Structures are given as structure tokens and as C-alpha cells.
Amino acid sequence: MSCLVLATGSARAADRVALLIGNSDYRAPDMALRNPVNDVEALGAALRELGFAVTEATDQNAASMDRAVHAFGQAAQGAEMAVFFYAGHGVQIGGQNHLIGTEFSGSDLTALSRSSITIDRVRDVLAKAGPDVGILLLDACRNNPFSERGMVEQGLVRIRGGAGLLIAYATDPGNVAYDGLGDNSVFTSSLLDHIATPDLDVRLMLGRVRQQVVLDTEGRQIPWVEESVLDEHSFAPGLPSASPTDAFEADMAHWRSISASSDQADFKDYLQTYPDGLFAAFARDRIELLRNTETAPAAPISATLAAAEPDKLAAALSTLGLMPDGPSRNLEPALDQYRRRLPLQETATPERLFEDAAEVSVFLAATTLQSLRTDIVALRSVERTLAVAENALGQIEEIARSDPAALPVLQQARNDIYDIYRSRGVILRRLDQSRSYYDELLTRAVVFFPSEPGADFFDAAATSRNLGQAHARLSEDAALFLRHVAQAEDSKKGSYQWLADLIPPG
């Protein structure tokens, strides 16, 4: 069976294009998959609702996939957003990722290569087309016989995108993406849950997808993302009036916006707005640090400090709030501020800087992990409640079709569902903030952290802040952060592998 469908959405459709390929009906019986065609149909319907011109190509051989990709490249020229989605078998051969056509039935790598197209081919076509943002969604690595036969390694290999491109993989390198027990794969189901969220940046949207997949699979499947996207892009337009901002979400967002500031006024404003905020202790520390910096005498920066590796210096200085994030690489003003904060110039060594930044990172990360744990438990509770409420709503709707007396109950049930969805949205926005911030802290820390960090980093920070009973709880999460730093690999960058450690029991 083979099907190629071109469907046009709204008047804006030419600005938003998508090619969806799903291969289920492979010639080799042991390669058959249940859900790729379902995934294409469901995602195609969702994207049309969002104003995309959608091309669906199902059960395609390599030649027809290549033709569809060529046509997609032409349609994507000058587009606002261009989306490529693939569901089916995918493998890595010699460092390249191959998407397998349905005609494959051989038993050697030559036949496998001949019956496939590469992801590099898709990426290059999209890069040449130059849309404002190009997105590749790869729900491949389905459980397949290739690795079992010893023909290839399991899973896909990491590849780089280009400027304006985002590549999202359903699972991390070397692992399997689950086809799913329902009508769609685990990854596509999560994508369908979040893709139509109004005014949600695509990176945050995929953050929610990754989070949901990790939680739903108990950490067995961990999606990851490679991206070089600078501006914000969302699949769904914003609503005319946004829902009220949650206090915790606003606290976290405010802190993230000033965490790398070197202006005392920013931290004073934070404390005035959130005197008991999550990062109030750190705001007071920054004010004191910056006050001391301003009054300290100027002195030359030591040659040892100035000669340290620039990337490590920049990451550590950013963590300490002495260097704003961004493309600027002028380290000297930030190094001068750091030297001024120390009582003796000779103590301003690279080792001292990295240890100070590590201490701050550990405490910030442990504090953020506490918030993540709380909200993940809350999210699971709300989603269980939502599942029960939606089941009850279906039963009430069935009764109301023949009994008008049930209509008031039906309306109340719908109102209850709305309230639950609203609560879920609040928790998801909080998680967007804390999840992203923790990942930022981890990404920086792996650059400058000492090779063998000890618990004394956290103990020193805890003592200075008089944490009391909170010390024990935060100490556990500090140890977890240290483990995440030690386990971090470049090949896993862009995944939320660490999130699996926050899955609540039961």
C-alpha cells in the first residue's frame, strides 16, 4: 500500500509547510510496525488545524521518499516554518542516519543503504530552502531486527543541524523509541498533546514532549534535541488574553532574567517583588558581592587567571552573575569584578574561580530540583484526575444524548474538565521554567566543574545561608546534581537524561 496526499490548510498555509512520512507496511514481515501511518495521519490533522500545507507520504520506498523530500525543499523556500516528520525504521550506518524505505528485504548493508535516504539529505534540502525555522522530527529507532542481526548498531547517531534548524529525536543515541500500545507512538502522542499549546516557543514545547516521554516510559526513552534557533517560534498562535501568571512561574522567570546581571538594582527589585522568593538568599548575596566589588581597589588581573581557558572562564563568571549571557567574549571586566570581590588579589586563581562557581551552581541546582520534584508529583496527580474526569465526561455525554435532564450535569462536567486543564497548564508552565533553568545550570557546570567535586561545595553554601531543616533535603539533591555533572556526556547534550532521576515512585 502506498499513499501520497497533499492537503492545503488556511490562507497562510504557504508560509507553513510540512512533509510527514510514515512507513508501517515493510516488505519484510518482521519489520512491520503498527503506528507510523497512524502517527502521520494524526499529526497531519493537527498541523492542518494550525495552518500548515501538509504533504502525507505513507509506506514509501526510498525513491518516492527522495522525490517527496525534493518537492518539500521547493515548497519550503521562504517559508515561515517548515516541518519534516518521519516515523518508521531508522538506523545508523558508518556515522550516517538512514530512514528505511518499505522495499527493503535484504540482509546486508549495501541493500540497506540502497533502500534508504539519509537524514543528512533532508537536513541539507531544508537548509538550502532557508525557511525562518526548519524543524526535523524523527520518530525513528523503532524496535527493529537490524541490530539483532548484528548489521548495525542500535539507534541513531547524533548529527549537527545548521543555523535556523532544529532536529528532535524520539530517543537518545543508541536507544529504542517505542511504537506505543495505543494508536500512536509514545513520542507522537506526547507531541500531539502539546503542539497546539498557544504561543509556546517550539523549544519549550519540545521540552514538554521530552518531559512527558521520560515520565510515561519511566526513563526508558529519553528524547533529545539539537538546535540552532535564535528567535522564538510557536506552532500555535497566542490567545487574545493570557491566563493569570502563577506566582512561582513569575518568581523563576524573574530570577532567570537577572541571574547574570551585574547591577545591584536588579536584585533589589527582585527582593522587593519576592522578599521570600525561591532565590531571595542568592539575591542578597549578589547585592553584597556587587557592593564589595564597587568599593574594592582596582588591581591588575593575575596572568594565571587571564590565561585560563576562555570557555571555562565565561561559564564560571556567568554562573556567578559577573558576565551576561550572549555572544560577547570580553572577559576582562568580569574578571576584574571577580578579583575585586576577594580580600586578597593573589587568591584570584582559576581554581578559586571554578570552585566558587561550583559552590553557587550546586546550591542553585539543588534548590531548583526541589521545585521540579514537587511539580512533577503535582503533574502526575492532575493527569490522573484528568483521565478519570474525561472518562466520566464520556459516560455523561452518552447519557445526555437520550436524557435532557442530564444536560446540567454535562455542563458541570465540562467546566470541571476545563478547570483541570487550566491547573495542568499552570504546572506545565512552572516546569518549563525550572526544567530549562536546571538544564542551563547543568550545561554551564560541565564546562568548568572540577574533575572530582566534593560535597563540601554544598556544605559551605548551606552553612553560610543558615538553611536549618532544609539542609538535609537540599543536600540529597546537591549530591544528585554532582552525579548529573559527572555523568554528562557531549553525546547526550540536548536530552533530559537527568529527568529520569526525578520520577516519583509508584
Side-chain angles (χ1 to χ4, degrees), residues 5 12 67 80 141 171 180 204 244 251 270 290 292 333 384 393 416 423 439 465:
V5 179
R12 280 188 77 205
R67 287 193 296 271
E80 173 216 338
C141 312
T171 191
L204 283 178
D251 182 348
Y270 174 85
L290 293 168
N292 293 340
R384 283 194 295 267
L393 178 63
D416 292 342
S423 297
D439 207 50
R465 290 173 178 80

Side-chain angles (χ1 to χ4, degrees), residues 133-431:
V133 61
I135 300 171
L136 282 74
L137 304 170
L138 303 171
D139 196 358
C141 312
R142 303 294 175 99
N143 216 354
N144 65 64
F146 304 116
S147 58
E148 296 170 7
R149 298 172 188 166
M151 294 173 60
V152 296
E153 295 181 35
Q154 184 167 275
L156 299 182
V157 66
R158 176 180 179 177
I159 66 168
R160 301 279 184 185
L165 293 183
L166 182 151
I167 306 174
Y169 298 81
T171 191
D172 54 340
N175 284 327
V176 170
Y178 292 95
D179 201 32
L181 298 176
D183 291 334
N184 299 109
S185 75
V186 175
F187 178 77
T188 300
S189 292
S190 301
L191 189 62
L192 292 168
D193 277 350
H194 299 288
I195 198 169
T197 303
D199 206 25
L200 183 65
D201 180 68
V202 64
R203 288 162 292 194
L204 283 178
M205 187 275 290
L206 286 168
R208 292 187 182 186
V209 170
R210 287 183 277 169
Q211 174 181 279
Q212 183 169 322
V213 171
V214 171
L215 295 178
D216 286 350
T217 64
E218 301 290 331
R220 292 185 296 275
Q221 180 175 331
I222 303 173
W224 58 295
V225 169
E226 288 279 353
E227 59 98 357
S228 299
V229 179
L230 298 179
D231 298 326
E232 291 194 2
H233 303 270
S234 62
F235 279 90
L239 298 175
S241 58
S243 58
T245 302
D246 173 69
F248 174 87
E249 178 195 356
D251 182 348
M252 176 67 78
H254 191 152
W255 172 258
R256 289 181 66 192
S257 71
I258 66 168
S259 61
S261 172
S262 58
D263 188 344
Q264 290 186 53
D266 288 335
F267 299 102
K268 290 177 180 178
D269 179 59
Y270 174 85
L271 287 173
Q272 185 174 3
T273 308
Y274 305 102
D276 299 313
L278 191 62
F279 301 100
F282 267 95
R284 288 188 284 270
D285 283 355
R286 293 286 171 85
I287 291 170
E288 185 66 21
L289 182 155
L290 293 168
R291 185 182 295 122
N292 293 340
T293 297
E294 290 174 358
T295 58
I301 299 167
S302 70
T304 304
L305 185 59
E309 189 176 334
D311 287 345
K312 293 178 69 174
L313 290 176
L317 291 166
S318 295
T319 297
L320 292 171
L322 298 174
M323 184 174 180
D325 290 327
S328 174
R329 299 293 300 185
N330 187 4
L331 297 171
E332 189 169 331
L335 288 171
D336 178 63
Q337 287 190 67
Y338 176 69
R339 195 222 58 79
R340 286 170 179 258
R341 67 174 280 192
L342 300 176
L344 297 173
Q345 179 188 351
E346 56 268 22
T347 65
T349 64
E351 293 75 21
R352 175 68 184 273
L353 169 61
F354 299 147
E355 287 182 3
D356 286 347
E359 177 186 308
V360 170
S361 294
V362 170
F363 187 82
L364 284 169
T367 303
T368 307
L369 280 170
Q370 290 289 301
S371 302
L372 279 163
R373 288 185 187 280
T374 300
D375 282 329
I376 286 173
V377 171
L379 178 64
R380 283 203 153 182
S381 176
V382 167
E383 288 184 334
R384 283 194 295 267
T385 302
L386 181 60
V388 172
E390 287 179 330
N391 182 59
L393 178 63
Q395 296 179 38
I396 296 170
E397 286 175 335
E398 185 65 28
I399 295 170
R401 289 190 183 97
S402 58
D403 183 2
L407 290 175
V409 179
L410 176 60
Q411 185 57 51
Q412 183 58 53
R414 287 172 174 164
N415 291 342
D416 292 342
I417 291 281
Y418 172 80
D419 289 340
I420 296 171
Y421 267 109
R422 194 169 177 274
S423 297
R424 179 175 180 261
V426 168
I427 296 169
L428 286 171
R429 288 195 300 274
R430 292 206 303 254
L431 282 165

Side-chain angles (χ1 to χ4, degrees), residues 442-501:
L442 181 60
T443 299
R444 283 200 197 110
V446 298
V447 175
F448 65 80
F449 238 64
S451 58
E452 295 182 1
D456 54 324
F457 288 130
F458 178 76
D459 290 338
T463 301
S464 68
R465 290 173 178 80
N466 190 26
L467 293 176
Q469 293 181 348
H471 187 174
R473 295 192 302 273
L474 288 171
S475 184
E476 293 178 5
D477 281 324
L480 182 58
F481 177 67
L482 294 177
R483 179 151 61 88
H484 290 162
V485 172
Q487 292 175 343
E489 302 175 18
D490 185 62
S491 65
K492 303 291 186 180
K493 185 179 178 182
S495 79
Y496 285 155
Q497 186 178 33
W498 52 266
L499 193 61
D501 290 325

